[in-house]
Amino acid sequence: MGIDRFAALAAQRQEVLDYCDDLTAAEWAMPSRAAGWRVLDVVAHFAAETKVLFGPTIIGVMASKDIEATNEDVLEGWRDLAPERVLDEFAKWSSRLITLVKVSTRGPFGAIPVPLANLGRYPARLLPSVFVFDWHIHLAHDIAPAVGRPVPPIDEQRMAAIVEWMLAGLEQMNRDDLGWFDKPV
């Protein structure tokens, strides 16, 4: 069975929207487990990272030598928005993201290497898995523990997309640390 990256992306998007829809004002303001970010900032990160794909800022993001600093830069201007606005922006831009990746990652376009800052270069077809990973990890490990709510269950397709991204990134993101690992597994 192959990975349905688009179904995984749509499901994870809906999970974020459903989970955050009834957060209280106090929960939005809580410090998340992502250092220096409130729960609001994490969701604003989701919105900002999807919106950035549709403007010239994407060039700087793709060429960045420090993705963490770039994430902070992209988040500027989002931190003071109301939670409802942040969630609406995430809904709007993530919907557009799904349309974009459906069009741009199928067929031969899916093999085009895309630079993802200092994380490496990856085939375009993996872009949905990148977002599934990011949204799931932040929701499960940064937001849910901060607000004291259970982590939503994850289905097979989303887990497959997450593992796909982790395995794809293992070599490029850890090249220096894995120098001793010189034989195929």
Side-chain angles (χ1 to χ4, degrees):
M1 176 177 122
I3 301 171
D4 186 343
R5 295 177 192 96
F6 307 115
L9 182 61
Q12 190 59 46
R13 173 188 179 268
Q14 193 60 53
E15 189 75 67
V16 170
L17 291 170
D18 291 346
Y19 196 87
C20 295
D21 188 49
D22 67 345
L23 291 176
T24 67
E27 289 171 327
W28 279 104
M30 287 181 168
S32 78
R33 297 285 172 93
W37 284 6
R38 300 165 299 167
V39 169
L40 176 68
D41 300 329
V42 175
V43 180
H45 161 69
F46 297 163
E49 74 182 351
T50 54
K51 183 178 180 181
V52 79
L53 296 171
F54 297 92
T57 307
I58 188 60
I59 303 301
V61 171
M62 291 168 63
S64 171
K65 301 295 183 214
D66 183 350
I67 192 63
E68 296 302 326
T70 301
N71 283 339
E72 288 291 335
D73 292 344
V74 170
L75 194 56
E76 284 308 311
W78 289 85
R79 295 179 188 269
D80 296 327
L81 297 179
E84 301 78 27
R85 171 90 188 276
V86 168
L87 199 56
D88 287 347
E89 290 290 314
F90 172 69
K92 176 172 81 174
W93 292 105
S94 60
S95 176
R96 292 177 182 178
L97 166 71
I98 291 171
T99 301
L100 174 69
V101 296
K102 280 183 178 177
V103 171
S104 64
T105 64
R106 291 194 174 177
F109 294 117
I112 295 172
V114 177
L116 297 177
N118 59 311
L119 303 178
R121 297 174 71 83
Y122 301 92
R125 73 177 166 277
L126 293 182
L127 288 177
S129 296
V130 172
F131 287 97
V132 173
F133 172 86
D134 190 57
W135 299 344
H136 170 73
I137 294 300
H138 279 301
L139 185 61
H141 298 282
D142 297 328
I143 296 174
V147 299
R149 295 185 183 197
V151 175
I154 189 161
D155 61 51
E156 211 173 286
Q157 284 298 323
R158 287 183 285 162
M159 185 53 72
I162 290 166
V163 170
E164 175 183 56
W165 171 241
M166 290 171 63
L167 292 175
L170 186 63
E171 180 184 0
Q172 291 187 60
M173 288 186 244
N174 299 287
R175 185 165 282 132
D176 294 338
D177 296 330
L178 294 174
W180 59 272
F181 197 63
D182 62 352
K183 303 276 189 267
V185 177

